[in-house]
Amino acid sequence: MSDDKNLFMDLAGRFVNGSLDEEQGKIFLGLLQKNPDWASTVRENILVDFLLQKLFLNEDHFAGFPSSHEDHEDPAESENWSKVLDDLVHWEKNAVSLNPPLPEPDLFPKKESVWLKWLQPKNKMPKKVKYSPLANFFFMLQLGILIALVFGFSIAHYREINDRYRENDPIPSARIAETVDVVWADDSESYERGQGIFSNKIKLVSGIIKLRFKNNAVLLLQGPSELVVNSPQNAFCLHGSISATVPKEAAGFGINTPFGEFIDRGTMFSLNIDSKKVDLDVIKGRVDVASTANKIEQITEGSGGTVDLMKDFTPRKANFDFFMKSEVFDQILNRFVEKKLAVKSERDLRLNENPNLLINLDFQNVRKSSIENSAKNGSRFLPEALLKGTVSDEGRFHSTRSVRFRNLKDLVLLPFNRQFSGLTLVANVRLDRLKNQGNVILSGSDFLQEPGAFLWQILKDGRLQFLVNNRQKKENEKLGSSYFRFDSEPCFTYGKLNSWTQVVLVVDPQNKKIVHYLNGKMISEIPWKNPIPLHISEAAIGNFVDPENRNRAQFLDGALDEFLLFDRPLTSEEIRRL
C-alpha cells in the first residue's frame, strides 16, 4: 500500500507541475478511484482541469459535474466529495473512448467494383458496391464498342482527307520508270525518270515512256498519245499506242478508251487508239473487251479485233508487229542513254572551260574519301571536296553515279573561303522523303555567326529556301536570328520524290532579286531591296548541323548527282542549256 501511496504522491506532484502525460493520468485516476481518502492531497478544480485538458475529453461528458474551484470547497471538508467520486467512477465506466481500438483486419475483404459504381446513376449510387464480374464484363463491352466507333470514325475521316489530297499521297498509283526522247505537250506537265504519278494526265508529242504501276503492271506508251492514270488498277487512254505487260497478281487491270474498256486477265497485249477505232492484239493470256453495256468479248492469245465508233467488235488474228517487247525497248533505251552521255560529256568539257564556274562536282570519279573539282578556274583554290560518311548510288542515267546522304554525319566538305557579289548554284537532287524539317543543299560553317553567310535548302513543305545572315556583329553580342529569307512556292510534292530534279538558285544583287528554277523553269522571283555581299567558309553540301542542337536532322534525305557554283548570276537561257 505504501508503494501505491508513494506512486500517487509522485503522480500528484507531476500533475500539479503540468508534466503528467495521458498514460500517467489514467494511472493517477485509477489510484484515486481505489482510495477516495487520498483526494485531500489535491484540489478538485485541478483534477477537473486535468480531465479536460490532459485527457482531451469533451465537456459534454461532464454534464452536471463541477468544473471550477469556485463552485466547490476543499474535498476533505465537503460532504458531497464521496458523491463526486462516485459520479466520477460512474462516468469513467460509461464514457465513450476518444481513441477506440482499431477493428481487426479482414484477411479476405470483398472487392468493390469501380466499374459497377461507374454504371450506377449518381443519384442512386450506393455507399458501398460489391464486386460484380458481370458488371465488369458489360462495362468492358461498352468500352470496346466506344473504342471501335472512335477508331472507325478516324479511319473514315483519314480516307476522306486522303481522297481530298491525293496529290500528297506518299504512295503514287504509278511511276515513270524510263523516258526515251520524250517531247511533252505544252499543256502537259513534263515528268522525270522515277517521278510518281497520281491522278495525272500524261500527254506526249513524241517519244516513249515506261510506266510502272503500283501492282507491277507495265505500260509502254508511245507518242503522240494522251493517257490519264486513274488508280493503280485503271487508266484512261484517249489516243496513242500502248504495249501492256500485266502479271497474274495484277489481273483485273483495265484500260478505258472512248470505244470501251479492255480488262486484262494476266497477259501481254497492245492497243492502238485513234479518233475512229481501237485495235487490240493479245500476245499472251486473255483480255475481256466490254465494248457494249451487255456484252463482253473474251479475246485469247493470238487473237485480236477492232472496235469502231458504233462500239461493234470485229474479231481477227493478232498482229504481233504492234506490240513492243521489253528487249526491244531496252535496246532503244540503251542507244538513247549512250547518246545522252555523249551529249553530257561534250557539255561538261565546254562547261568546265567557263571562267565563272568555280565548282563542278559530278561524282563520277569518286576516290575513297574525296572527289575532284572538274572546274578548271576553280580548281586552283578548291582542288577537291572531301566525302564524310556518304555512299555511292545510281545517278541520273544507268551508267552514272551519285552521292547519297543518309544521316546526321553525312556531308561533302568544301574547304575554301570566299566572298561573292552574285552567284548561281545548280544541283541535281533526288529526294527520297520529305521528313526532315530542312534538306540542306549548301551551307557555310559560319552561317549562324557571320553577316553575309548563307544557307540553301528544301523545306519539309516542299519550298526552296535561301537564307542570308543579316546580323550586325557587335562586341559581346549574343547569337542573333536576323536573316534575309527568300522562299519559293511549294514545288517538291510527293510526286517529285524518287525522281531526279534540277534546282537552280540565282542571286542577282545588281537587279536586286533572288530567282529559283526547277528543271529549267523559273518558279519564283523575289526582290532583295538591300543586298549585302555574300560570304562562305568551310561550306558543306548536303548537310548542316546547328552547334546548339546537334540532333536536329537537316541533311539532304536523298542523293545528289551534280553540283555547280558560278560566281555570277546566269541568265534564263544559260540555265535552260545546263
Side-chain angles (χ1 to χ4, degrees):
M1 181 65 68
S2 60
D3 292 336
D4 289 345
K5 182 69 173 181
N6 293 335
L7 178 60
F8 177 81
M9 295 301 294
D10 179 68
L11 294 175
R14 291 174 179 270
F15 176 73
V16 174
N17 294 331
S19 61
L20 194 68
D21 60 25
E22 184 176 349
E23 191 65 32
Q24 293 170 343
K26 291 180 179 180
I27 298 174
F28 179 62
L29 182 59
L31 294 173
L32 189 61
Q33 293 171 348
K34 293 179 181 179
N35 305 280
D37 56 308
W38 293 352
S40 59
T41 59
V42 291
R43 295 185 60 84
E44 65 177 302
N45 62 321
I46 298 176
L47 178 62
V48 172
D49 288 341
F50 173 82
L51 293 173
L52 290 175
Q53 298 174 14
K54 299 298 181 180
L55 295 180
F56 307 100
L57 299 176
N58 194 316
E59 290 185 357
D60 294 338
H61 295 159
F62 291 90
F65 190 82
S67 60
S68 174
H69 68 278
E70 298 177 357
D71 300 329
H72 298 278
E73 300 175 353
D74 189 296
E77 300 174 357
S78 174
E79 298 178 355
N80 296 324
W81 177 244
S82 60
K83 185 177 182 302
V84 170
L85 291 177
D86 292 339
D87 292 340
L88 183 61
V89 172
H90 176 74
W91 169 82
E92 176 67 19
K93 291 180 178 180
N94 295 281
V96 178
S97 173
L98 293 180
N99 297 294
L102 294 174
E104 290 293 329
D106 189 355
L107 297 179
F108 302 97
K110 293 183 178 180
K111 293 183 179 179
E112 191 172 296
S113 173
V114 176
W115 317 120
L116 190 56
K117 282 185 177 182
W118 184 81
L119 291 171
Q120 292 283 349
K122 290 185 177 180
N123 57 349
K124 296 182 180 180
M125 177 70 73
K127 291 184 178 180
K128 186 174 182 180
V129 183
K130 294 183 179 180
Y131 172 78
S132 172
L134 186 61
N136 267 357
F137 170 76
F138 281 112
F139 170 77
M140 295 304 293
L141 180 62
Q142 294 179 57
L143 183 62
I145 294 173
L146 179 62
I147 293 174
L149 290 174
V150 172
F151 182 74
F153 174 79
S154 301
I155 292 296
H157 181 66
Y158 169 78
R159 287 179 177 174
E160 178 184 354
I161 296 297
N162 191 48
D163 291 340
R164 190 182 304 170
Y165 300 102
R166 287 187 62 186
E167 66 274 12
N168 292 326
D169 188 348
I171 304 178
S173 299
R175 286 192 181 276
I176 303 291
E178 301 289 352
T179 63
V180 177
D181 280 333
V182 173
V183 177
W184 302 98
D186 293 336
D187 57 345
S188 171
E189 182 180 351
S190 59
Y191 298 94
E192 300 296 327
R193 174 171 168 255
Q195 187 168 345
I197 306 295
F198 296 85
S199 294
N200 303 62
K201 180 175 71 172
I202 299 171
K203 193 171 183 180
L204 302 177
V205 175
S206 61
I208 307 171
I209 65 170
K210 184 177 182 179
L211 196 63
R212 184 179 297 277
F213 282 74
K214 183 180 176 182
N215 57 13
N216 289 324
V218 175
L219 300 185
L220 296 176
L221 183 65
Q222 302 180 60
S225 58
E226 185 173 350
L227 181 137
V228 178
V229 175
N230 293 324
S231 72
Q233 281 289 108
N234 185 268
F236 175 81
C237 186
L238 182 63
H239 64 88
S241 297
I242 296 176
S243 296
T245 302
V246 184
K248 291 183 178 180
E249 60 269 21
F253 177 80
I255 298 179
N256 290 333
T257 71
F259 306 96
E261 183 178 7
F262 298 82
I263 304 169
D264 182 90
R265 299 303 176 188
T267 187
M268 299 165 64
F269 67 96
S270 64
L271 290 174
N272 289 278
I273 309 159
D274 57 30
S275 60
K276 297 181 179 180
K277 60 180 174 53
V278 55
D279 290 316
L280 165 69
D281 296 284
V282 180
I283 311 303
K284 185 178 179 180
R286 192 189 89 197
V287 174
D288 293 344
V289 180
S291 56
T292 62
N294 299 321
K295 188 176 180 181
I296 295 179
E297 302 284 347
Q298 295 184 351
I299 312 303
T300 57
E301 180 176 332
S303 301
T306 301
V307 182
D308 57 21
L309 288 174
M310 302 303 295
K311 295 187 178 181
D312 292 330
F313 181 78
T314 304
R316 56 171 174 77
K317 289 185 178 181
N319 186 346
F320 290 85
D321 295 336
F322 288 135
F323 182 81
M324 180 179 291
K325 296 180 180 180
S326 59
E327 53 266 28
V328 174
F329 174 77
D330 290 341
Q331 293 174 4
I332 297 173
L333 177 63
N334 290 336
R335 289 197 295 269
F336 172 73
V337 170
E338 290 175 1
K339 179 181 176 182
K340 292 287 288 185
L341 288 177
V343 172
K344 181 180 183 301
S345 178
E346 182 181 349
R347 168 255 192 190
D348 289 345
L349 289 174
R350 184 180 67 255
L351 188 64
N352 289 329
E353 297 291 337
N354 190 322
N356 298 114
L357 180 64
L358 300 185
I359 298 176
N360 181 4
L361 304 177
D362 58 8
F363 304 103
Q364 302 311 309
N365 299 313
V366 177
R367 302 186 184 97
K368 184 176 181 181
S369 59
S370 64
I371 174 70
E372 180 183 356
N373 180 13
S374 301
K376 290 186 177 181
N377 188 41
S379 60
R380 293 181 287 107
F381 67 91
L382 181 68
E384 62 181 9
L386 305 179
L387 304 179
K388 303 287 186 180
T390 58
V391 296
S392 182
D393 202 351
E394 181 184 359
R396 288 177 291 169
F397 303 103
H398 293 285
S399 57
T400 61
R401 306 303 297 171
S402 66
V403 62
R404 187 181 178 194
F405 307 88
R406 300 168 298 171
N407 53 54
L408 290 169
K409 298 181 180 180
D410 292 356
L411 57 85
V412 177
L413 183 63
L414 305 177
F416 77 104
N417 190 315
R418 195 175 181 88
Q419 288 188 345
F420 303 90
S421 58
L423 58 80
T424 299
L425 299 175
V426 182
N428 287 283
V429 300
R430 187 198 69 210
L431 281 182
D432 294 337
R433 296 175 298 178
L434 280 171
K435 182 180 179 181
N436 296 344
Q437 190 64 34
N439 294 269
V440 173
I441 302 173
L442 180 69
S443 70
S445 62
D446 56 352
F447 169 67
L448 296 176
Q449 291 81 25
E450 296 295 331
F454 60 87
L455 178 145
W456 187 34
Q457 64 180 344
I458 303 169
L459 298 178
K460 189 177 183 178
D461 60 4
R463 289 176 294 158
L464 283 165
Q465 182 183 75
F466 180 60
L467 292 176
V468 181
N469 191 322
N470 188 37
R471 183 174 66 88
Q472 298 301 318
K473 189 175 181 180
K474 299 178 182 178
E475 291 185 2
N476 301 322
E477 184 183 15
K478 294 184 178 179
L479 185 65
S481 59
S482 178
Y483 300 97
F484 292 118
R485 178 172 177 169
F486 306 96
D487 293 4
S488 73
E489 293 296 323
C491 53
F492 275 86
T493 61
Y494 283 108
K496 292 289 185 183
L497 296 184
N498 300 300
S499 63
W500 288 103
T501 305
Q502 184 193 72
V503 290
V504 178
L505 169 71
V506 176
V507 180
D508 189 351
Q510 183 176 357
N511 295 312
K512 296 183 177 182
K513 63 181 181 179
I514 305 295
V515 188
H516 279 111
Y517 292 83
L518 190 77
N519 291 328
K521 296 181 180 179
M522 187 177 68
I523 58 172
S524 70
E525 182 176 308
I526 308 167
W528 190 4
K529 295 181 180 179
N530 301 304
I532 63 175
L534 300 180
H535 174 265
I536 193 166
S537 176
E538 295 291 331
I541 295 176
N543 209 335
F544 170 76
V545 180
D546 186 342
E548 293 188 350
N549 185 3
R550 294 184 179 274
N551 294 321
R552 184 169 61 188
Q554 288 188 267
F555 63 93
L556 183 68
D557 197 351
L560 189 144
D561 188 343
E562 183 181 61
F563 178 83
L564 307 174
L565 187 153
F566 297 84
D567 63 356
R568 70 171 177 85
L570 299 183
T571 64
S572 297
E573 180 61 25
E574 289 175 319
I575 291 172
R576 188 186 64 80
R577 293 199 303 263
L578 287 175

